[in-house]
Amino acid sequence: MGRLLRELLLLFPLFSHAQIANYAHIPTADILQYQLQKSRRTTAIAPFKRYGLRRIRAAKFISDDDPRHIWAWHVHPNEEYNAASQPLYELFRKNDFASLAIIDVDKGETEIVFWDKQYYRRIADDLRRMGFLMSNAPNKTNVLCFRKIESTVRVDITIWWNLYHVRVY
């Protein structure tokens, strides 16, 4: 019995890694660098395909000439989405906790939507390591603002009861 328990404990890291491998691993530095290139009006190539996200067409809700591009990882459409009264990030529903969606605006901000705190922790930790300081947004208790003095890129993370919404601008 002791041998079986010991073998199971040795296999535990393998099982836990298998679950983590299902998450999209987009480095925060790549997202910030991409946003910086867009703000400088230089040629910016979206890095999202490189990390396994696929581009989604949402012709029912946004026209072909709309400057927003949607990228996704393990999401499906929200059948109750109302374009007239809800922001575009409400268009998505998670398939699992690894689900992630990105709304990329040409020459504008990048929005990231996810449902698992693991993504939030990774992004927040990366921003702190890069020297960004966190503060609460004025008059909003669910918005965390990350700023760096010598950087023009800003990050706001809004925490809702059912999802996380990150704006990089």
Side-chain angles (χ1 to χ4, degrees):
M1 183 68 163
R3 183 173 175 244
L4 178 63
L5 182 60
R6 193 177 20 209
E7 287 177 11
L8 284 174
L9 287 174
L10 289 174
L11 290 175
F12 184 72
L14 294 175
F15 295 136
S16 64
H17 179 68
Q19 283 188 321
I20 292 171
N22 198 27
Y23 285 72
H25 297 287
I26 305 171
T28 305
D30 283 4
I31 296 169
L32 296 178
Q33 183 178 9
Y34 173 61
Q35 189 63 36
L36 184 61
Q37 289 171 349
K38 287 193 321 182
S39 69
R40 290 184 177 165
R41 307 288 191 247
T42 61
T43 303
I45 298 171
F48 312 120
K49 185 175 184 176
R50 183 176 352 159
Y51 298 106
L53 277 73
R54 61 181 168 74
R55 184 108 181 260
I56 309 177
R57 291 194 36 90
K60 181 177 176 182
F61 302 107
I62 59 174
S63 65
D64 286 339
D65 62 341
D66 193 293
R68 296 175 289 186
H69 304 286
I70 301 172
W71 298 84
W73 177 266
H74 293 216
V75 297
H76 65 273
N78 174 6
E79 300 300 328
E80 292 118 29
Y81 178 71
N82 181 351
S85 64
Q86 292 177 296
L88 186 60
Y89 65 82
E90 290 284 340
L91 173 66
F92 310 108
R93 286 292 172 248
K94 67 180 179 179
N95 284 351
D96 55 34
F97 279 107
S99 299
L100 174 112
I102 295 177
I103 303 167
D104 180 27
V105 181
D106 288 342
K107 299 179 179 117
E109 68 187 23
T110 302
E111 297 177 68
I112 307 166
V113 181
F114 49 89
W115 292 262
D116 193 348
K117 196 171 193 171
Q118 180 175 329
Y119 284 121
Y120 161 74
R121 286 182 181 143
R122 187 182 324 143
I123 291 169
D125 289 347
D126 287 349
L127 290 170
R128 285 185 196 105
R129 270 194 292 278
M130 288 183 248
F132 282 77
L133 299 175
M134 183 186 78
S135 64
N136 289 340
N139 303 325
K140 294 182 180 177
T141 59
N142 65 328
V143 179
L144 302 175
C145 304
F146 288 86
R147 305 289 185 263
K148 188 173 180 180
I149 293 172
E150 64 271 4
S151 178
T152 58
V153 178
R154 298 173 296 175
V155 181
D156 289 344
I157 301 177
T158 306
I159 302 168
W160 297 105
W161 69 271
N162 60 344
L163 63 87
Y164 294 84
H165 177 236
V166 178
R167 286 183 56 222
V168 182
Y169 54 102

